Amino acid sequence: MTIGHTLLGLLESGPRHGYDLKRAFDERFGHDRPLHYGQVYSTMSRLLKNGLVEVDGIEPGGGPERKRYAITDAGITDVGGWLATPEKPEPYLQSTLYTKVVLALLTGRDAAELLDVQRAEHLRLMRELTRRKKGGDLADQLICDHALFHLEADLRWLELTAARLGKLAAEVRA
């Protein structure tokens, strides 16, 4: 996710201070990875420099002055282009898990045990996401479903790899 585009999208509903942007971001998108204030202000500085936002007002505060940012027409166009551009599917052709399996086979370690441990970790995370999904709102349910579907695909791969481990061992040791 592009933080800049997300902050621009949040500004389309009206001008906001950096603090308000951080709070809105964290509420909608940052459940697992909230933004740091430094990320917000460095991103807003870059967007300002690029003409995608403008300072709509400055208010004195207890500390530094509080800038209120507004999206520009160029920013609206930029967000629209970003939203209309499909994301590149990630084929995961360089999987760390695959590398570990091959290295375990090459070094004489127990690749089946590695797969079993990984399967257990995937199942643990799936149970945690399922609990979170049951107690969450629709947005949280959708993001949990996204993660669960990816974990299910990984589990299918783990099972397939376990079934083909003997053949893979012969190929990598040849």
Side-chain angles (χ1 to χ4, degrees):
M1 169 175 23
T2 302
I3 293 170
H5 285 114
T6 306
L7 295 177
L8 283 172
L10 291 171
L11 281 173
E12 281 202 44
S13 65
R16 298 181 190 212
H17 295 97
Y19 174 83
D20 297 326
L21 284 167
K22 179 201 175 341
R23 192 176 60 218
F25 181 97
D26 290 351
E27 190 177 286
R28 293 275 182 205
F29 311 108
H31 292 279
D32 295 319
R33 239 188 247 149
L35 282 180
H36 296 286
Y37 285 105
Q39 285 178 284
V40 173
Y41 293 111
S42 64
T43 301
M44 295 312 295
S45 178
R46 189 180 82 260
L47 295 172
L48 186 62
K49 185 177 117 185
N50 292 335
L52 302 175
V53 298
E54 61 191 9
V55 175
D56 185 57
I58 299 176
E59 301 167 5
E65 294 179 328
R66 294 178 39 150
K67 293 179 184 174
R68 188 175 54 245
Y69 298 96
I71 192 168
T72 63
D73 290 340
I76 292 170
T77 300
D78 196 60
V79 171
W82 178 68
L83 289 172
T85 304
E87 290 296 307
K88 180 181 177 187
E90 298 179 31
Y92 302 108
L93 293 178
Q94 290 299 321
S95 166
T96 302
L97 190 51
Y98 170 77
T99 301
K100 284 184 169 188
V101 169
V102 170
L103 284 175
L105 292 170
L106 286 172
T107 60
R109 290 180 172 88
D110 189 351
E113 175 66 20
L114 183 152
L115 292 170
D116 287 343
V117 168
Q118 191 63 51
R119 185 181 304 105
E121 181 60 17
H122 270 62
L123 291 170
R124 182 200 64 75
L125 182 54
M126 289 176 83
R127 284 189 298 274
E128 181 181 314
L129 287 168
T130 301
R131 277 192 299 276
R132 176 177 164 180
K133 181 179 155 180
K134 286 180 183 175
D137 60 11
L138 181 58
D140 212 31
Q141 291 171 12
L142 289 171
I143 197 68
C144 287
D145 280 338
H146 186 265
L148 285 164
F149 293 150
H150 282 276
L151 289 168
E152 286 174 9
D154 286 350
L155 281 175
R156 287 193 311 267
W157 182 85
L158 289 167
E159 295 300 326
L160 180 67
T161 303
R164 295 179 176 173
L165 208 50
K167 185 175 180 180
L168 181 60
E171 282 187 19
V172 300
R173 292 179 184 151

